[in-house]
Amino acid sequence: MMLIKKRREMEALKLWTNLGSSLIALMAAWTMLEKYLPEQLRGIFTRHTQKLLTFLNPYIKIRFPELSGTSRYRRSEAYVMIHAYLTAHTSPAAKSLKASDTSKDGRSLVLSMDEDEEVSHVFRGAKVWWASRKTSPKAQSISLYPEDDEKRFYVLTFHKRDRELVVGEYMGHVLGEGRAIVAGNRQRKLYSNNPTRNWCGWSSVAFEHPASFDTLAMPMKVKEGIKKDLVKFSQGKSYYAKIGKPWKRGYLLYGPPGTGKSTMIAAIANFLNYDIYNLELTTVKDNSELIKLLLETTGKSIIVIEDIDCSLDLTGQRKSDKKKDNEDDSDSDDDSGGKSNSVISKTLKEKEKENKSDSRVTLSGLLNFIDGIWSACGGERIIVFTTNYVDKLDPALIRRGRMDMHIEMSYCCFEAFKVLAKNYLDIEEHSLFGRVKELLGEIKMTPANVAENLLPKSVEDSEEKCLRNLVKALEKVKEEEDGKSKIEKKEKQWQWIKSVLG
Ligand SMILES: Nc1ncnc2c1ncn2[C@@H]1O[C@H](COP(=O)(O)OP(=O)(O)OP(=O)(O)O)[C@@H](O)[C@H]1O
Ligand SMILES: [Mg+2]
C-alpha cells in the first residue's frame, strides 16, 4: 500500500514538474511575443492566460485577515483561533518563529509563526499548508502608527479534491481547538477609554486584581446571593433567548467611600473570568461615540461606570430643569434625538467647562447605551454603576430591569470584620474579638479603615498588636462621636431655652 502511494505521489510530482517546465516555456514565449501584440489583444490574452492558470492549478487558497468587519481595530475571531491553533501545533515545525507575549504563567515565551513562514499539516490524509503573511503599508503614505497600516493574514492552501473535508471538518477542528486554547490561555484584560491617541477606542492592560468573593468583607448571605445571581446569569444564554431579552445584567453598587465597591467589581470579574471595560464617561464626546465604544466591547465582559453621579449630571434634574435643558439642547449637536431627555444642565456645562471636558453624552444616550438594540450584540455583558450617592441618581437610570440588582455596600459589621481578620492576620478567633464586636455595633467604620488598622506595620507586629490598633482606632471614633452628640444635645437644649425665653 505504502509503495503504491509513494509511486502515485512520484507520478504526480513528475506530471507537475513537466507541466511547470511547459508553463515556464509558455511564459518566456509570451514575454517575447507581448511587445508585438496590439494592446487590446494583449489584454484578452492576459485574461485568458490567468483563467488557464487558475483552471490548471488544483490548489485552493483561503485567506483569513486579522482585521475584519466594521471596526479596523477589531481582530477577526477566526484569525485569533487560527493563530492560537497554529501557535500550539505547528510552531515546532516552523523554522522562522516570532517570540511574543509571555505565557499566562509568565515563565515562558510564546512562539508563533513569523511573517512569511509556511508550515504544512496532514489531516485525515489531506495535506494543507498554512502561511503567515503581511501586507506592508503603501510606500507613499506616512502614518504616525505604521502598525495600523500593516495587514496580517493567514493563507490556507489545499488540494481541491479535499475541499469538503478541509472546509468542513478540518476548519471545525482548527477553530474548535483554537477556541479552547484561547479560553485556557486567556489573560483577562482591563480596558479603559482613554483617548490619548486622538481616536475613540479602548486601550488595555492585563487584569490581575487578586480580589475574590472569599476575601470580600461583607455578610455571607449577601455574598452568596450575588454569587448565585452571577452563576444564573452566566449560564442563562438559552433562558435570555427564550424570554426575548438581551443577555445582560445591570448591577448598581452604592455606599460610602471605602466600602468595597471597586473591590466587588474585581471579585465579580475574577469569579466569572470576564474582562473589565472601565468607561470614563467624561471623556466620551457624544452619544454616538458611546455606542461605538459599546460595539467594540467583547462578550464575557463587565462594563463599569464608576462614580456615575460625578461622571455627568445624571441626577434627578431631568424633570426640574427640563426647560433649561431644552434651551441648552437647541444649540447642541446631539445626534441621538434625546432633546427632551437631555440632562446636561447649565450648571454641569459650566462645571464641564471648568474641567475642560466637552462631553455631550446625555441621559437618553446612556439609557440607549444600556438597553438599546446594540446591547444585544456580541454575547453576555454585565453593566455596573457605582455611586456614593444613590439618592442623587435619576430613577430612570437605576430602575429595575435596567439595573437589576441594587447592592448596598455598607460600613463594616462584625461578620465582615471576621473576613478581614482572616485575610490580614489569618486568625478566626481571639479574645479581643468581643470588644471589636461591641464597638462595631456602636460606631460606623468602613471596611477600608478597618483593613488599614489591621494591617501589620512591621514584620514584628503580632496579631494581638494589630487587633489592639484596631480597638484603639474604634474607641477613638467612639469618643469623637460621643463628644459630637454631647455638643449637639447641648445645642438643642440651648435652642429650646432660647425659644422659651422668647
Ligand atoms: N468590603 C471589603 N472587603 C474587602 N476589602 C475591602 C472592602 N472594602 C474596602 N476594602 C479595602 O479597602 C480598599 C478600598 O476599597 P474600594 O476601593 O473597593 O472602595 P470603594 O467602595 O470603591 O470606594 P470609593 O467609593 O471611594 O471608590 C480596597 O483596596 C480594599 O483593600
Ligand atoms: Mg471605588
Side-chain angles (χ1 to χ4, degrees), residues 158-417:
F158 52 91
H159 198 284
K160 62 183 175 192
R161 68 164 176 253
D162 300 322
R163 184 186 176 127
E164 216 172 299
L165 176 72
V166 173
V167 175
E169 221 176 308
Y170 176 66
M171 277 318 293
H173 161 76
V174 170
L175 296 177
E177 203 166 308
R179 188 169 293 119
I181 295 167
V182 169
N185 282 345
R186 210 162 88 92
Q187 165 66 67
R188 267 161 322 107
K189 296 210 170 138
L190 171 63
Y191 294 85
S192 57
N193 60 318
N194 222 340
T196 45
R197 272 184 166 199
N198 207 19
W199 56 270
C200 128
W202 300 99
S203 50
S204 68
V205 291
F207 175 71
E208 280 163 350
H209 200 294
S212 71
F213 275 101
D214 291 340
T215 60
L216 203 60
M218 61 191 297
M220 190 58 108
K221 217 172 132 192
V222 184
K223 270 203 278 192
E224 288 307 315
I226 299 169
K227 273 163 75 176
K228 275 188 194 151
D229 189 76
L230 290 170
V231 170
K232 191 159 185 281
F233 166 76
S234 65
Q235 296 172 353
K237 186 175 184 174
S238 51
Y239 178 72
Y240 277 82
K242 196 180 98 189
I243 60 170
K245 267 185 77 169
W247 194 10
K248 66 181 173 65
R249 195 140 178 89
Y251 281 77
L252 172 73
L253 307 181
Y254 65 95
T259 47
K261 297 179 292 297
S262 304
T263 313
M264 162 77 87
I265 295 168
I268 294 176
N270 286 333
F271 182 66
L272 292 179
N273 205 15
Y274 281 13
D275 290 327
I276 295 183
Y277 286 85
N278 195 18
L279 180 64
E280 181 52 68
L281 266 186
T282 50
T283 64
V284 182
K285 216 166 64 211
D286 52 27
N287 296 337
S288 43
E289 194 170 290
L290 189 63
I291 299 302
K292 204 168 147 228
L293 284 168
L294 173 69
L295 288 174
E296 281 177 14
T297 61
T298 50
K300 292 191 184 299
S301 60
I302 305 175
I303 301 170
V304 179
I305 306 181
E306 288 255 33
D307 299 314
I308 187 136
D309 50 298
C310 309
S311 297
L312 290 177
D313 193 6
L314 300 169
T315 60
Q317 295 188 35
R318 184 165 65 138
K319 292 168 202 91
S320 56
D321 285 3
K322 207 167 185 173
K323 207 168 153 238
K324 240 190 251 174
D325 291 339
N326 285 341
E327 281 165 19
D328 285 349
D329 258 7
S330 57
D331 60 0
S332 110
D333 59 357
D334 167 27
D335 51 4
S336 76
K339 281 196 173 180
S340 60
N341 267 352
S342 172
V343 289
I344 301 187
S345 67
K346 211 159 195 167
T347 33
L348 178 77
K349 283 195 169 171
E350 279 161 13
K351 257 190 261 163
E352 280 183 346
K353 263 180 210 158
E354 278 164 29
N355 296 338
K356 300 223 172 358
S357 159
D358 54 358
S359 174
R360 283 182 183 276
V361 175
T362 60
L363 177 64
S364 69
L366 190 59
L367 299 185
N368 269 336
F369 172 84
I370 303 166
D371 48 19
I373 48 167
W374 308 278
S375 63
C377 307
E380 68 265 47
R381 282 189 189 81
I382 289 178
I383 299 177
V384 182
F385 291 164
T386 73
T387 181
N388 297 139
Y389 307 98
V390 68
D391 301 335
K392 280 193 183 179
L393 296 178
D394 191 303
L397 189 64
I398 56 170
R399 72 152 166 77
R400 304 283 163 167
R402 200 162 271 143
M403 285 294 115
D404 306 275
M405 285 271 271
H406 292 195
I407 302 165
E408 181 178 8
M409 304 295 290
S410 194
Y411 292 101
C412 196
C413 59
F414 181 63
E415 206 181 340
F417 155 77

Side-chain angles (χ1 to χ4, degrees), residues 62-69 74-86 130 152-154 171 174-179 182:
I62 305 180
R63 190 180 146 108
F64 297 93
E66 181 178 16
L67 304 174
S68 67
R74 191 169 203 156
R75 291 179 98 198
S76 130
E77 215 173 298
Y79 181 93
V80 174
M81 307 304 166
I82 292 167
H83 180 76
Y85 179 84
L86 290 179
W130 283 104
R152 273 168 249 272
F153 57 94
Y154 281 115
M171 277 318 293
V174 170
L175 296 177
E177 203 166 308
R179 188 169 293 119
V182 169

